[in-house]
Amino acid sequence: NPPNPNKSIPQLQEATRLEHTLQTALHEYSLKHPTFTIRRHPIEILGVHISPDLRHARIFWCLPHALDLSALSESTVRILMERMQEVLDEKGKVLQGLVHGKLRGYYPPRLKFVAAEHV
């Protein structure tokens, strides 16, 4: 990906670090807990946007790529997205805690999960 001219170098660095750490934490957590999975597949992290003050992060997610979304009705996909967003809103603090535990050297941004459009 080319550098984004609207983002500072610290924002881009933090987004990369946070995305990698979150993907690792999500994978490890999902091996033992089905909280953020659908049919045993964890949701996918598509990207991270960091606020200019580095205190907040929007985490863009989608349903697992392993699901055959073309075999599901549009309403079923919408319901799955809505339910997972509710789970993330309610239990996303678990992932926040795992990220904080892995990035102990500083205080990482607060995470807000945002459903991404499916391609």
Side-chain angles (χ1 to χ4, degrees), residues 43-44 46 59-63 81 84-85 88 113-116:
I43 60 171
E44 304 280 342
L46 298 179
I59 311 301
F60 294 92
W61 66 274
C62 70
L63 296 175
M81 294 285 293
M84 184 55 71
Q85 186 64 55
L88 288 164
F113 294 90
V114 179

Side-chain angles (χ1 to χ4, degrees), residues 46-118:
L46 298 179
V48 174
H49 291 181
I50 304 292
S51 64
D53 64 5
L54 307 179
R55 294 178 62 188
H56 298 90
R58 288 187 309 163
I59 311 301
F60 294 92
W61 66 274
C62 70
L63 296 175
H65 294 306
L67 293 180
D68 182 8
L69 297 181
S70 64
L72 302 174
S73 71
E74 199 173 302
S75 62
T76 300
V77 171
R78 187 173 8 88
I79 289 167
L80 288 172
M81 294 285 293
E82 289 170 359
R83 286 187 182 163
M84 184 55 71
Q85 186 64 55
E86 289 171 5
V87 169
L88 288 164
D89 290 344
E90 183 180 316
K91 299 183 179 178
K93 288 181 172 65
V94 169
L95 294 175
Q96 178 84 53
L98 293 171
V99 166
H100 279 235
K102 291 179 179 294
L103 300 176
R104 284 191 273 267
Y106 70 106
Y107 192 78
R110 169 173 264 150
L111 309 181
K112 176 177 173 58
F113 294 90
V114 179
E117 293 294 320
H118 276 80

Side-chain angles (χ1 to χ4, degrees), residues 6-78:
N6 298 325
K7 303 288 181 191
S8 69
I9 290 174
Q11 280 175 285
L12 295 171
Q13 290 172 330
E14 183 62 20
T16 300
R17 178 174 33 247
L18 191 59
E19 183 172 352
H20 174 74
T21 303
L22 183 57
Q23 286 175 339
T24 301
L26 179 62
H27 173 75
E28 291 171 356
Y29 185 81
S30 295
L31 291 173
K32 297 178 183 175
H33 307 281
T35 310
F36 307 109
T37 66
I38 297 174
R39 295 184 186 157
R40 291 179 281 182
H41 299 289
I43 60 171
E44 304 280 342
I45 303 301
L46 298 179
V48 174
H49 291 181
I50 304 292
S51 64
D53 64 5
L54 307 179
R55 294 178 62 188
H56 298 90
R58 288 187 309 163
I59 311 301
F60 294 92
W61 66 274
C62 70
L63 296 175
H65 294 306
L67 293 180
D68 182 8
L69 297 181
S70 64
L72 302 174
S73 71
E74 199 173 302
S75 62
T76 300
V77 171
R78 187 173 8 88

